[in-house]
Amino acid sequence: MTGEAEAVGPPAAEYDEYGFVVPAGALGREIVRYKQQFQPKAERRVTRWERFRRADPSLSNRRRLKRLVRKGIPDSFRKEIWAHCLGSQRLRDANPNKFESLLREPLSDETLSQIELDLTRTFPNNKLYKYEDGVAKLRRVLRAFAVHNVRVNYCQSLNFIAAVLLLFMDEELAFWTLAQVVSSEEGAKGLHIDGYYVEGMDQLRADLRALERIVQRKFPNAYASLRREGVELEWVCQEWFHTLFSTVLPIQTTLRVWDCLFLEGHKILFRVALAIFKENELRISKFQSLEEVMVSMREISSHQVDHNSLLKAAFKGIGRLKRAQIRREQAYGERMVAEENAAAQARRERHNQAHPPPPAKPQLPALDNPGHGEAGGSGEESPVGAAVREAARRLESVIDSCYDSILGDGDDDVDVSPVDGEPPAARLPGSIPALSPDSVFSYLGVSVSSMLQPSNSSDATRSSVNVHRGDNALATSPAK
Amino acid sequence: MGCSVSKPEDTFGPASAQVRISQGVGSNAPASSALGSTGAERASLESKVVLLGDSGVGKSSLALRFCQGRFSPYHEVTIGAAFLQQIVRLKDGSQLKLHIWDTGGQERFRAMAPLYYRDAWGAVIVYDCSHAPTWESVKFWVGELQAKGRPNCCMAIAANKCDTQDWQVDSKEAREYCESNDFIFVECSAKTGENVGRLFELLANKVYQQMLKGDPR
């Protein structure tokens, strides 16, 4: 611990055990102090984990695993346990040459240059990514992922997630783990958050709406304070969810959050976000200006040094938070996003009618669905808009009926994911393999493949937003 | 909703770009220092300004240069949007506090952009004059703002990285486009600091006049 010496200049920086520059000033001192204070606990945990691993090499006692994970995985076990929880080790073993072969596949110039652009802008405060060696690893993981997950390809935020994984894992395992974090190809494991990273980001927007409703209910004073100053919750929380907190919390706290997230799934994002509100409720309730909210919320998240107390708040402090409740709020969020998309589309169309676009502008393709094919020039709603809205309406009813039928598992503490990845398809909403947009729409009886073709058109892209959303929504419905 | 507008004491004089930056408030400064101790000491006017443009054109760097007077070659990728602020003192002594929203640039983040620009009084649309495709996106953002932004949102087009040896965008075309649309056009460099102050000053000036006229909505 260095006091004043840290502030001298970037080259003389002190690094923590994960290669991050220890922040200058009071925050850095607090991190170092907390680490020392936590040390005895950390050592006890290592002993407990060693005993557990010896007694249960296949990690079959899930209850015990969960209890230990919630108290934090020691650094020396993280790689193995993360890979186990997400099923990425199994994927790697099953696909021995996949990573290398993905790296030989071509990628578009656009993707390559975006990845290149972001490599040097990913945790520039971490030692590993100051040197070409670490940057090259990150490049390969992101490129392989972009080939592998066609729908997501590359999206900013994945660079940060991959970079944290690489602090613990070799490239190949980090790649499979990233693949599992984003979607799920192995049993019931994985977070199923593809929709955070695809065009439109509908799932992210819907989740933020859901979070907003829960914050409003659980912390009415804090919420009222934000609204009073005209702050949208999304302004504050978008980055929290998108980078899985990795750019907003101190690294030690991020890792604790990820331990639970990778084992217990997506709802942990909600629990941790709510815990941040819980831990700072009084302060947040007293904000008096927009700038105070924005500056202080940033400061609050970066000061969550006491990871133990944050995690305690996430599981005990915020009270009950049932999966079913989150699902209900997500459904609400999805409806709001669909409405927003439709309104934006309509607004853009009105604008385009008033100011005809220049000829270079890409045109919307016609639908091959004869009923909607020719809208003439006068219609207020484009055929694509109508089809998407119709699809959204049908999806809504599918979602609603699904919720009623599958969400019997209200109890939050019930383990629903199996340890070995045998998919308990009928029980767990998250376990259904994602359907392709085509199958979703054939199920819905809407013909959309033609309208998706020219994906470089901004209008067509906008229209495809609901298609992706539909894909997600159905991915959480039970297998018929 | 994002900006609270209190009535200015003085009327604004003849249009003038001669404004002076009085005081910077960094995004990392304690929130309390951003506020005067009494309401009267606060900037009389606040205004939301949003930075838009392709990934890597230098939006964050422009904001950082303007608000904190520094440049970092390796600024972290912006996810969502970052909030910064700076007070601009206008010639007649009134102050305009700019709330600057620096947005994420990857095309995919465009879905989130309305969250940040929809109630903005001003927008800086940034392109990289050493990278031609980024100029094309300028027109996209102009269209977005006209369709979904605040009516009469003041726009400034910034040709960043003007210190480059490798010009790929013809400034003449950009300038003509801006003149015909009544947008501010400034060639600037966040790296050297050239014209960065001027960019925001011109915009603050225009926004101020717009605010005096009142919201057309």
Side-chain angles (χ1 to χ4, degrees):
Chain A
M1 139 151 217
T2 58
E4 260 70 359
E6 298 165 353
V8 172
E14 192 190 322
Y15 296 103
D16 65 19
E17 65 272 39
Y18 307 108
F20 283 94
V21 175
V22 178
L27 177 58
R29 286 194 292 277
E30 198 184 334
I31 290 172
V32 174
R33 190 192 52 75
Y34 184 74
K35 194 187 158 198
Q36 284 166 350
Q37 182 197 321
F38 191 72
Q39 193 58 30
K41 261 194 185 132
E43 281 164 18
R44 275 202 302 277
R45 272 168 205 188
V46 173
T47 321
R48 219 174 291 147
W49 271 90
E50 280 167 351
R51 212 179 317 132
F52 173 59
R53 295 296 290 117
R54 270 197 306 275
D56 185 4
S58 61
L59 300 164
S60 56
N61 184 344
R62 188 174 158 89
R63 194 165 287 276
R64 174 112 180 101
L65 177 65
K66 181 169 161 182
R67 224 176 2 248
L68 284 176
V69 165
R70 281 195 176 185
K71 288 183 184 288
I73 305 173
D75 290 336
S76 52
F77 286 93
R78 237 178 210 126
K79 169 183 164 185
E80 177 201 356
I81 302 299
W82 281 1
H84 170 81
C85 292
L86 287 166
S88 46
Q89 184 63 50
R90 196 179 259 242
L91 274 172
R92 178 197 193 153
D93 296 342
N95 303 279
N97 301 314
K98 185 81 182 283
F99 180 66
E100 288 302 326
S101 73
L102 287 171
L103 285 174
R104 288 191 292 270
E105 297 290 321
L107 274 170
S108 73
D109 287 347
E110 196 189 340
T111 303
L112 288 173
S113 62
Q114 185 70 58
I115 290 175
E116 228 38 49
L117 196 57
D118 291 348
L119 288 173
T120 51
R121 305 192 297 165
T122 306
F123 296 129
N125 59 337
N126 189 293
K127 202 160 49 172
L128 182 62
Y129 303 110
K130 270 192 162 53
Y131 301 103
E132 185 46 37
D133 188 38
V135 170
K137 286 182 183 174
L138 184 58
R139 177 186 292 120
R140 284 192 292 265
V141 171
L142 293 174
R143 283 186 181 179
F145 180 86
V147 175
H148 178 69
N149 191 327
V150 179
R151 243 184 87 202
V152 172
N153 192 262
Y154 171 69
C155 179
Q156 289 177 337
S157 283
L158 298 181
N159 54 325
F160 293 110
I161 297 169
V164 173
L165 294 175
L166 277 168
L167 298 177
F168 295 91
M169 297 172 166
D170 60 80
E171 290 163 44
E172 193 180 351
L173 190 59
F175 157 74
W176 285 113
T177 306
L178 180 65
Q180 283 296 94
V181 165
V182 172
S183 48
S184 181
E185 297 158 37
E186 160 67 19
K189 300 170 175 186
L191 304 186
H192 298 275
I193 49 172
D194 322 43
Y196 281 16
Y197 305 106
V198 298
E199 203 67 55
M201 300 183 175
D202 285 21
Q203 191 188 356
L204 175 66
R205 289 156 63 207
D207 275 1
L208 290 169
R209 291 307 187 90
L211 176 67
E212 178 169 17
R213 293 251 288 207
I214 303 171
V215 168
Q216 183 177 10
R217 202 157 305 149
K218 287 195 179 283
F219 311 108
N221 293 336
Y223 181 75
S225 163
L226 300 196
R227 297 304 299 153
R228 193 173 55 236
E229 304 308 333
V231 172
E232 303 276 355
L233 190 87
E234 290 154 293
W235 296 350
V236 175
C237 301
Q238 184 191 347
E239 188 177 357
W240 296 6
F241 278 18
H242 211 236
T243 68
L244 312 180
F245 295 101
S246 63
T247 52
V248 293
L249 296 174
I251 180 66
Q252 294 79 359
T253 310
T254 299
L255 297 174
R256 288 287 308 273
V257 170
W258 283 20
D259 292 344
C260 303
L261 181 66
F262 293 168
L263 179 69
E264 297 183 54
H266 180 225
K267 67 166 184 176
I268 298 298
L269 292 179
F270 286 84
R271 284 202 168 273
V272 172
L274 292 167
I276 293 174
F277 278 94
K278 172 74 186 171
E279 291 273 276
N280 302 279
E281 194 178 359
L282 216 77
R283 183 172 168 196
I284 296 172
S285 304
K286 290 179 180 158
F287 285 151
Q288 290 190 359
S289 69
L290 181 138
E291 57 262 46
E292 191 187 358
V293 176
M294 293 312 299
V295 173
S296 301
M297 286 308 290
R298 181 95 214 163
E299 189 189 288
I300 280 173
S301 57
S302 66
H303 279 69
Q304 297 299 315
V305 174
D306 186 342
H307 43 79
N308 232 26
S309 118
L310 184 71
L311 271 281
K312 219 176 258 174
F315 292 114
K316 299 264 187 289
I318 62 166
R320 289 178 80 77
L321 181 68
K322 293 184 177 183
R323 278 173 203 271
Q325 186 192 348
I326 296 179
R327 288 267 149 61
R328 261 197 313 276
E329 302 299 356
Q330 283 172 323
Y332 161 82
E334 284 161 12
R335 276 197 301 276
M336 298 300 286
V337 168
E339 279 170 23
E340 258 172 45
N341 288 346
Q345 172 75 14
R347 216 165 159 183
R348 182 141 196 110
E349 278 163 17
R350 269 203 308 279
H351 176 76
N352 285 348
Q353 275 173 5
H355 314 266
K361 203 132 190 164
Q363 296 296 309
L364 278 175
L367 273 182
D368 59 4
N369 190 345
H372 301 277
E374 51 289 313
S378 61
E380 286 152 277
E381 190 176 51
S382 81
V384 172
V388 169
R389 257 183 292 285
E390 173 56 23
R393 259 195 301 279
R394 293 190 199 184
L395 272 172
E396 232 78 78
S397 65
V398 172
I399 296 163
D400 286 345
S401 61
C402 288
Y403 284 131
D404 299 338
S405 62
I406 59 179
L407 293 173
D409 71 314
D411 189 358
D412 218 23
D413 277 309
V414 173
D415 286 328
V416 282
S417 329
V419 174
D420 287 321
E422 265 74 58
R427 271 171 65 214
L428 180 67
S431 69
I432 311 309
L435 299 170
S436 74
D438 278 343
S439 67
V440 171
F441 276 86
S442 69
Y443 174 70
L444 292 167
V446 181
S447 166
V448 278
S449 55
S450 65
M451 79 188 190
L452 288 176
Q453 276 159 9
S455 58
N456 57 344
S457 144
S458 60
D459 287 334
T461 306
R462 192 178 319 286
S463 306
S464 72
V465 155
N466 280 332
V467 176
H468 289 144
R469 169 179 167 275
D471 190 333
N472 286 322
L474 274 195
T476 62
S477 70
K480 302 276 172 189
Chain B
M1 139 190 40
C3 342
S4 64
V5 182
S6 52
K7 273 265 156 59
E9 301 286 310
D10 312 306
T11 51
F12 190 70
S16 160
Q18 292 186 334
V19 283
R20 184 167 63 84
I21 294 152
S22 63
Q23 169 196 355
V25 181
S27 67
N28 292 324
S32 56
S33 72
L35 306 169
S37 53
T38 69
E41 286 172 32
R42 285 195 188 188
S44 59
L45 273 174
E46 294 171 352
S47 174
K48 178 172 179 175
V49 168
V50 64
L51 281 158
L52 300 166
D54 275 357
S55 184
V57 296
K59 296 177 295 298
S60 301
S61 295
L62 282 173
L64 198 68
R65 170 64 78 182
F66 178 60
C67 298
Q68 295 176 21
R70 60 192 182 88
F71 175 77
S72 158
Y74 299 119
H75 193 279
E76 207 161 83
V77 176
T78 306
I79 302 298
F83 172 86
L84 295 94
Q85 54 187 344
Q86 177 64 287
I87 295 171
V88 177
R89 180 162 290 168
L90 303 162
K91 198 183 179 186
D92 65 0
S94 53
Q95 291 182 338
L96 183 58
K97 184 191 277 178
L98 296 182
H99 288 169
I100 297 171
W101 290 82
D102 166 30
T103 62
Q106 194 188 4
E107 202 170 316
R108 232 164 268 200
F109 284 79
R110 287 179 180 179
M112 295 304 237
L115 257 179
Y116 303 103
Y117 70 61
R118 76 186 159 210
D119 57 353
W121 283 94
V124 180
I125 305 174
V126 187
Y127 73 92
D128 173 356
C129 54
S130 66
H131 191 44
T134 62
W135 163 247
E136 293 308 313
S137 298
V138 168
K139 293 168 190 168
F140 167 83
W141 285 116
V142 168
E144 280 289 288
L145 286 164
Q146 285 172 342
K148 296 188 271 174
R150 182 188 281 271
N152 299 337
C153 170
C154 302
M155 290 186 228
I157 312 297
N160 192 30
K161 309 195 187 177
C162 74
D163 58 302
T164 182
Q165 302 298 309
D166 177 27
W167 282 76
Q168 280 192 15
V169 181
D170 182 7
S171 280
K172 190 162 166 275
E173 184 198 336
R175 193 178 298 279
E176 279 168 10
Y177 171 78
C178 290
E179 272 168 14
S180 66
N181 285 285
D182 193 28
F183 302 151
I184 294 163
F185 176 72
V186 176
E187 289 172 358
C188 58
S189 165
K191 191 173 177 181
T192 64
E194 183 182 347
N195 274 340
V196 175
R198 183 161 171 271
L199 166 69
F200 286 96
E201 286 158 15
L202 287 170
L203 184 65
N205 194 8
K206 203 167 171 184
V207 162
Y208 186 67
Q209 288 176 311
Q210 193 66 50
M211 291 169 89
L212 292 183
K213 279 191 223 157
D215 201 327
R217 276 191 293 205

